Short mmCIF file of all heavy atoms in Angstrom, two decimals:
data_model
loop_
_atom_site.label_atom_id
_atom_site.label_comp_id
_atom_site.label_asym_id
_atom_site.label_seq_id
_atom_site.Cartn_x
_atom_site.Cartn_y
_atom_site.Cartn_z
N LEU A 295 -18.94 11.76 -11.34
CA LEU A 295 -17.57 12.06 -11.18
C LEU A 295 -16.98 12.87 -12.36
O LEU A 295 -16.18 13.82 -12.02
CB LEU A 295 -16.86 10.73 -11.18
CG LEU A 295 -16.93 9.93 -9.83
CD1 LEU A 295 -16.43 8.54 -9.95
CD2 LEU A 295 -16.57 10.66 -8.66
N ILE A 296 -17.47 12.64 -13.58
CA ILE A 296 -16.97 13.37 -14.62
C ILE A 296 -17.34 14.85 -14.61
O ILE A 296 -16.55 15.80 -14.89
CB ILE A 296 -17.64 12.76 -16.00
CG1 ILE A 296 -17.04 11.50 -16.34
CG2 ILE A 296 -17.52 13.89 -17.26
CD1 ILE A 296 -17.71 10.70 -17.42
N ASP A 297 -18.56 15.19 -14.00
CA ASP A 297 -18.89 16.66 -13.82
C ASP A 297 -17.99 17.17 -12.71
O ASP A 297 -17.99 18.54 -12.75
CB ASP A 297 -20.36 16.62 -13.33
CG ASP A 297 -20.89 17.96 -13.41
OD1 ASP A 297 -20.70 18.75 -14.36
OD2 ASP A 297 -21.54 18.39 -12.38
N LEU A 298 -17.35 16.39 -11.81
CA LEU A 298 -16.53 16.96 -10.86
C LEU A 298 -14.98 16.87 -11.20
O LEU A 298 -14.19 17.09 -10.36
CB LEU A 298 -16.69 16.14 -9.54
CG LEU A 298 -18.13 16.46 -9.01
CD1 LEU A 298 -18.37 15.48 -7.73
CD2 LEU A 298 -18.38 17.83 -8.49
N GLY A 299 -14.78 16.51 -12.46
CA GLY A 299 -13.35 16.39 -12.97
C GLY A 299 -12.71 15.10 -12.66
O GLY A 299 -11.47 14.87 -12.75
N MET A 300 -13.48 14.06 -12.25
CA MET A 300 -12.85 12.79 -11.83
C MET A 300 -13.50 11.56 -12.68
O MET A 300 -14.40 11.95 -13.48
CB MET A 300 -13.20 12.46 -10.44
CG MET A 300 -12.58 13.49 -9.36
SD MET A 300 -12.85 13.08 -7.68
CE MET A 300 -14.43 13.66 -7.41
N LYS A 301 -12.76 10.51 -12.64
CA LYS A 301 -13.27 9.34 -13.45
C LYS A 301 -12.97 8.19 -12.78
O LYS A 301 -12.10 7.96 -11.94
CB LYS A 301 -12.76 9.49 -14.88
CG LYS A 301 -11.30 9.15 -14.93
CD LYS A 301 -10.72 9.17 -16.40
CE LYS A 301 -9.23 9.10 -16.47
NZ LYS A 301 -8.76 9.10 -17.86
N LEU A 302 -13.87 7.04 -13.15
CA LEU A 302 -13.59 5.71 -12.54
C LEU A 302 -12.40 5.11 -13.15
O LEU A 302 -12.04 5.32 -14.40
CB LEU A 302 -14.87 4.89 -12.75
CG LEU A 302 -16.02 5.21 -11.85
CD1 LEU A 302 -17.17 4.38 -12.20
CD2 LEU A 302 -15.74 5.25 -10.38
N ASN A 303 -11.70 4.27 -12.48
CA ASN A 303 -10.66 3.52 -12.93
C ASN A 303 -11.00 2.15 -13.65
O ASN A 303 -11.48 1.25 -12.93
CB ASN A 303 -9.73 3.15 -11.71
CG ASN A 303 -8.30 2.62 -12.11
OD1 ASN A 303 -8.15 2.12 -13.28
ND2 ASN A 303 -7.25 2.70 -11.32
N ALA A 304 -11.02 2.27 -14.94
CA ALA A 304 -11.53 1.01 -15.67
C ALA A 304 -10.61 -0.31 -15.30
O ALA A 304 -11.34 -1.34 -15.33
CB ALA A 304 -11.38 1.28 -17.26
N ASP A 305 -9.46 -0.10 -15.03
CA ASP A 305 -8.54 -1.26 -14.91
C ASP A 305 -8.92 -1.87 -13.53
O ASP A 305 -8.66 -3.01 -13.25
CB ASP A 305 -7.18 -0.90 -14.91
CG ASP A 305 -6.54 -0.50 -16.22
OD1 ASP A 305 -7.34 -0.91 -17.20
OD2 ASP A 305 -5.63 0.27 -16.37
N LYS A 306 -9.51 -1.17 -12.62
CA LYS A 306 -9.80 -1.63 -11.28
C LYS A 306 -11.32 -1.83 -11.04
O LYS A 306 -11.78 -2.16 -9.96
CB LYS A 306 -9.18 -0.74 -10.17
CG LYS A 306 -7.70 -0.74 -10.17
CD LYS A 306 -7.20 -0.08 -8.94
CE LYS A 306 -5.62 -0.07 -8.84
NZ LYS A 306 -5.10 0.70 -7.67
N THR A 307 -12.00 -1.83 -12.15
CA THR A 307 -13.55 -2.16 -12.01
C THR A 307 -13.74 -3.54 -12.42
O THR A 307 -13.48 -4.02 -13.46
CB THR A 307 -14.25 -1.14 -13.02
OG1 THR A 307 -14.00 0.30 -12.68
CG2 THR A 307 -15.69 -1.46 -13.02
N ILE A 308 -14.21 -4.22 -11.32
CA ILE A 308 -14.14 -5.69 -11.41
C ILE A 308 -15.58 -6.16 -10.72
O ILE A 308 -15.97 -5.71 -9.81
CB ILE A 308 -13.10 -6.46 -10.63
CG1 ILE A 308 -11.80 -6.03 -11.15
CG2 ILE A 308 -13.36 -7.95 -10.63
CD1 ILE A 308 -10.59 -6.33 -10.28
N ALA A 309 -16.27 -6.99 -11.59
CA ALA A 309 -17.47 -7.52 -11.14
C ALA A 309 -17.50 -8.97 -10.79
O ALA A 309 -16.65 -9.80 -11.31
CB ALA A 309 -18.58 -7.35 -12.21
N SER A 310 -18.34 -9.51 -9.82
CA SER A 310 -18.26 -10.82 -9.35
C SER A 310 -19.61 -11.21 -8.74
O SER A 310 -20.35 -10.50 -8.22
CB SER A 310 -17.19 -11.02 -8.25
OG SER A 310 -17.15 -12.33 -7.78
N ASN A 311 -19.99 -12.59 -9.01
CA ASN A 311 -21.13 -13.13 -8.39
C ASN A 311 -20.70 -14.07 -7.17
O ASN A 311 -21.56 -14.68 -6.64
CB ASN A 311 -22.00 -13.87 -9.45
CG ASN A 311 -21.24 -14.99 -10.05
OD1 ASN A 311 -20.13 -15.36 -9.65
ND2 ASN A 311 -21.89 -15.56 -11.12
N ASP A 312 -19.40 -13.89 -6.75
CA ASP A 312 -18.89 -14.53 -5.65
C ASP A 312 -18.52 -13.62 -4.61
O ASP A 312 -17.35 -13.18 -4.63
CB ASP A 312 -17.67 -15.51 -6.05
CG ASP A 312 -17.22 -16.36 -4.82
OD1 ASP A 312 -17.60 -16.05 -3.72
OD2 ASP A 312 -16.64 -17.44 -5.20
N ILE A 313 -19.47 -13.20 -3.83
CA ILE A 313 -19.27 -11.91 -2.95
C ILE A 313 -18.25 -12.33 -1.85
O ILE A 313 -17.41 -11.45 -1.45
CB ILE A 313 -20.65 -11.54 -2.48
CG1 ILE A 313 -21.58 -11.03 -3.37
CG2 ILE A 313 -20.43 -10.57 -1.16
CD1 ILE A 313 -22.90 -10.47 -2.96
N ILE A 314 -18.35 -13.55 -1.39
CA ILE A 314 -17.42 -14.01 -0.25
C ILE A 314 -15.90 -13.88 -0.71
O ILE A 314 -15.08 -13.13 -0.16
CB ILE A 314 -17.67 -15.36 0.28
CG1 ILE A 314 -19.05 -15.42 0.88
CG2 ILE A 314 -16.65 -15.74 1.25
CD1 ILE A 314 -19.24 -14.66 2.19
N LYS A 315 -15.71 -14.40 -1.78
CA LYS A 315 -14.35 -14.47 -2.39
C LYS A 315 -13.83 -13.07 -2.67
O LYS A 315 -12.66 -12.70 -2.41
CB LYS A 315 -14.16 -15.43 -3.63
CG LYS A 315 -12.81 -15.54 -4.14
CD LYS A 315 -12.84 -16.48 -5.29
CE LYS A 315 -11.39 -16.66 -5.85
NZ LYS A 315 -11.42 -17.54 -7.06
N SER A 316 -14.68 -12.23 -3.50
CA SER A 316 -14.36 -11.00 -3.84
C SER A 316 -14.20 -9.94 -2.77
O SER A 316 -13.57 -8.88 -2.81
CB SER A 316 -15.26 -10.51 -4.87
OG SER A 316 -16.49 -10.26 -4.34
N SER A 317 -14.69 -10.39 -1.51
CA SER A 317 -14.71 -9.40 -0.37
C SER A 317 -13.28 -9.34 0.21
O SER A 317 -12.96 -8.40 0.94
CB SER A 317 -15.59 -9.99 0.80
OG SER A 317 -17.02 -9.95 0.39
N ILE A 318 -12.53 -10.36 0.04
CA ILE A 318 -11.08 -10.47 0.59
C ILE A 318 -10.14 -10.08 -0.73
O ILE A 318 -10.27 -10.77 -1.82
CB ILE A 318 -10.71 -11.93 0.95
CG1 ILE A 318 -11.83 -12.25 2.05
CG2 ILE A 318 -9.38 -11.88 1.62
CD1 ILE A 318 -11.65 -13.70 2.52
N LYS A 319 -9.50 -9.20 -0.45
CA LYS A 319 -8.46 -8.61 -1.57
C LYS A 319 -7.49 -9.85 -2.00
O LYS A 319 -7.12 -10.76 -1.12
CB LYS A 319 -7.65 -7.51 -1.21
CG LYS A 319 -8.48 -6.32 -0.96
CD LYS A 319 -7.54 -5.00 -1.09
CE LYS A 319 -8.51 -3.81 -1.26
NZ LYS A 319 -7.65 -2.63 -1.54
N ALA A 320 -7.13 -9.79 -3.26
CA ALA A 320 -6.40 -10.77 -3.92
C ALA A 320 -5.13 -11.21 -3.04
O ALA A 320 -4.72 -12.39 -2.97
CB ALA A 320 -6.07 -10.60 -5.46
N ASP A 321 -4.40 -10.17 -2.77
CA ASP A 321 -3.10 -10.38 -2.08
C ASP A 321 -3.28 -11.11 -0.64
O ASP A 321 -2.49 -11.95 -0.38
CB ASP A 321 -2.30 -9.09 -1.62
CG ASP A 321 -3.21 -8.04 -0.93
OD1 ASP A 321 -4.31 -7.75 -1.49
OD2 ASP A 321 -2.80 -7.59 0.13
N LYS A 322 -4.38 -10.87 0.11
CA LYS A 322 -4.65 -11.47 1.31
C LYS A 322 -5.20 -13.00 0.94
O LYS A 322 -4.68 -13.87 1.74
CB LYS A 322 -5.84 -10.64 1.96
CG LYS A 322 -6.02 -11.20 3.43
CD LYS A 322 -6.87 -10.28 4.27
CE LYS A 322 -7.08 -10.72 5.60
NZ LYS A 322 -7.94 -9.68 6.25
N ARG A 323 -6.05 -13.18 -0.02
CA ARG A 323 -6.36 -14.61 -0.49
C ARG A 323 -5.17 -15.37 -0.70
O ARG A 323 -5.00 -16.51 -0.28
CB ARG A 323 -7.30 -14.55 -1.70
CG ARG A 323 -8.63 -13.86 -1.38
CD ARG A 323 -9.62 -14.36 -2.37
NE ARG A 323 -9.18 -14.18 -3.76
CZ ARG A 323 -9.49 -13.13 -4.48
NH1 ARG A 323 -10.17 -12.23 -4.01
NH2 ARG A 323 -9.13 -13.04 -5.74
N TYR A 324 -4.24 -14.74 -1.48
CA TYR A 324 -3.07 -15.62 -1.79
C TYR A 324 -2.20 -15.86 -0.62
O TYR A 324 -1.69 -16.98 -0.50
CB TYR A 324 -2.10 -14.63 -2.73
CG TYR A 324 -0.73 -15.22 -3.04
CD1 TYR A 324 -0.61 -16.16 -4.07
CD2 TYR A 324 0.36 -14.95 -2.24
CE1 TYR A 324 0.79 -16.66 -4.37
CE2 TYR A 324 1.67 -15.35 -2.46
CZ TYR A 324 1.80 -16.21 -3.52
OH TYR A 324 3.01 -16.75 -3.75
N TRP A 325 -2.05 -14.89 0.31
CA TRP A 325 -1.37 -15.27 1.64
C TRP A 325 -1.95 -16.29 2.42
O TRP A 325 -1.39 -17.15 2.99
CB TRP A 325 -1.22 -13.87 2.39
CG TRP A 325 -0.17 -14.17 3.64
CD1 TRP A 325 -0.54 -13.95 4.92
CD2 TRP A 325 1.24 -14.20 3.52
NE1 TRP A 325 0.56 -14.13 5.72
CE2 TRP A 325 1.71 -14.28 4.81
CE3 TRP A 325 2.03 -14.47 2.51
CZ2 TRP A 325 2.92 -14.48 5.23
CZ3 TRP A 325 3.39 -14.63 2.86
CH2 TRP A 325 3.90 -14.69 4.22
#
């Protein structure tokens, strides 16, 4: 991405070992 003038969003880079939970966005889980 850097070579193409773009970059990853560090604030939205999130890792998890709970794939089921992280598959559903936080706003939807809350609702």
